[in-house]
Each structure stands twice: as structure tokens, then as C-alpha cells.
Amino acid sequence: MIRMMKAAIFDLDGVIVDTAKYHYWAWKRLARELGFEFAETDNERLKGVSRMRSLEILLEVGGVAMDEATRRESASRKDGWYVEYVEKMNPSELLPGAVEYVRHIRSRGVRTAIASASRNAPLIIHRVQIGSLFDAVVDGTKVSRAKPEPDVFLRAARELGIAAQDCVVFEDAEAGIEAAIRAGMGSVGVGKMDYLQNADLVIPSFQPLLVISRITP
Ligand code: BG6
Ligand code: MG
């Protein structure tokens, strides 16, 4: 299907900024405390999903049972370590070509939004100084059903005033591509084909898109 991209909706972690590694480091630290190793391949399942769902998957991988109160306490300890990394972030941690691409499409009249499962999205946006590049920001505090449910993307489209079918989502997570499909939006997977094969298009980074946009009007 050929679509008109009137709005581009970007996931934040792993698409605009390289925070996926900080999430991974913090979960790995928690896993070690719980007595098991958490592999990077298993970490793919945590991308895009909420903090509590991530913990559930981690515990499943380690075969660890945990009551509700300890779960809440563990998730908040992980968040403390994660925020320590995030507080030291600066614009050098923006992923290659991301900001340039957002600027390019904005100059062509495309509306832009961030739609992230993260409750820390506002802090990250502030640290890397990209707030002025987006017409709307929907973070994990604004929707109750996380990806792969489509809510975060539908809310972003509503805030932008653009119909879902005219939106294209940029995502690095399998759950995020699924959410974009359920929202009836186009999808571009940013990263490896292995996890993103359901997307309309997969790119390794924003750089190839910038090359295309230089040769097409
Ligand atoms: C997503 C990440 O953007 O945000 C997930 O891809 C993370 O890995 C989720 O679990 C929630 O983030 P936070 O910052 O609210 O714990
Ligand atoms: Mg992501």
C-alpha cells in the first residue's frame, strides 16, 4: 500500500537515542543479584514493553518466582540504576542521522511525535535536547496499555490531529512494530531484520533514508 506520510511517530529508546544498552545493563545487574546471567539475545524481548512487563520476562528467563511487593521494589531499584545512566546523557548519544532525518521531514511539512513506553522519556528528551523537534510527546505515563497494544501510537496521532493511515511509525522493537500494525499505521523497523521482519521496511539506521532524501525532492 502506498501511503502519504503526514506524520512520523518515533519510538525513543533505541530509535532516537542509544538508551537500549542502559536498560540492558540495569536489568543484567538485577539478574546477577537474583543469581542468574541475562543474555543480550533475551534482552530483545524487553524492548518496547513496559517496565513491569520487562521484569516479568526477566523473571521468566531466570526461572525466579517473586511476590508483588518484591517485584515493585526490584523494578524501582532497576529504574534507579537506569536513571543514573540517563542523568549523565548528552546529545552525543543521539543515534546517527536521527535528528538530521527528523529536521529534514519537518522542513517538508511532516508532523512529528515521540511515542514511548518509557516513563523516563521526558528526562531523556531534556538531556539530549530534542524537545523542540516534536509536535507531541506521548510517554509511558499517558497510556495504560503498553505496546504491542496500539494505544501509544493512536494517542500520538490524535494529539497531532492526523489520521492513523497517514502516520508512519519508526521502531526498533518487535512489540512496537506489532503496535504500529494494530494501529493501522505504516511501519519502519530501525535495526536488525531478525526481529523486525513484520515492518513495511527495515533500515539499519537513519543514514540510508538521508541519502534517499538527498536524491529525491
Ligand atoms: C521502552 C523500552 O521504551 O520503555 C523498554 O524499550 C522499557 O525496554 C520501557 O522497559 C519502559 O521504560 P521505563 O523508563 O519507564 O522503565
Ligand atoms: Mg525502542
Side-chain angles (χ1 to χ4, degrees):
M1 192 203 324
I2 297 187
R3 291 168 190 269
M4 172 80 185
M5 181 169 78
K6 292 188 184 162
I9 304 178
F10 297 85
D11 173 48
L12 180 64
D13 292 321
V15 171
I16 303 286
V17 278
D18 195 10
T19 39
K21 63 171 188 264
Y22 297 143
H23 278 296
Y24 174 54
W25 294 350
W27 285 124
K28 201 174 153 78
R29 181 166 169 186
L30 183 67
R32 281 220 175 120
E33 283 192 359
L34 295 170
F36 66 95
E37 280 303 316
F38 185 56
E40 202 155 1
T41 43
D42 287 323
N43 185 57
E44 282 304 318
R45 294 176 59 201
L46 269 49
K47 288 187 181 172
V49 303
S50 71
R51 192 180 305 167
M52 293 313 286
R53 177 66 193 132
S54 294
L55 176 65
E56 241 172 73
I57 298 171
L58 185 91
L59 297 177
E60 210 176 284
V61 170
V64 174
M66 195 179 267
D67 62 49
E68 190 50 40
T70 319
R71 276 178 197 237
R72 272 199 299 275
E73 188 271 323
S74 300
S76 116
R77 229 143 36 93
K78 176 267 169 183
D79 189 55
W81 299 324
Y82 176 70
V83 168
E84 269 176 36
Y85 294 127
V86 168
E87 271 169 350
K88 291 190 200 108
M89 285 181 82
N90 63 52
S92 73
E93 285 168 86
L94 286 159
L95 283 165
V99 161
E100 217 181 331
Y101 180 67
V102 176
R103 284 213 175 96
H104 168 76
I105 57 175
R106 282 176 70 82
S107 75
R108 303 290 159 107
V110 175
R111 311 257 292 149
T112 54
I114 293 274
S116 167
S118 174
R119 306 174 82 86
N120 292 304
L123 171 63
I124 297 168
I125 290 169
H126 170 72
R127 291 295 319 158
V128 300
Q129 300 164 25
I130 53 170
S132 63
L133 292 177
F134 299 95
D135 303 300
V137 174
V138 182
D139 63 39
T141 63
K142 285 191 177 176
V143 286
S144 48
R145 297 193 314 163
K147 301 168 191 175
E149 296 301 334
D151 306 33
V152 71
F153 295 136
L154 293 173
R155 167 87 186 244
R158 210 166 53 239
E159 288 195 14
L160 294 173
I162 304 286
Q165 75 215 39
D166 295 326
C167 296
V168 175
V169 166
F170 292 81
E171 257 292 349
D172 71 320
E174 201 176 350
I177 296 296
E178 178 60 34
I181 293 168
R182 290 191 199 176
M185 299 178 179
S187 58
V188 178
V190 185
K192 293 205 182 95
M193 191 60 154
D194 320 17
Y195 309 104
L196 304 169
Q197 73 269 25
N198 292 334
D200 295 325
L201 169 75
V202 178
I203 51 171
S205 77
F206 284 97
Q207 274 149 337
L209 285 188
L210 283 167
V211 173
I212 294 168
S213 63
R214 265 183 217 118
I215 55 178
T216 53

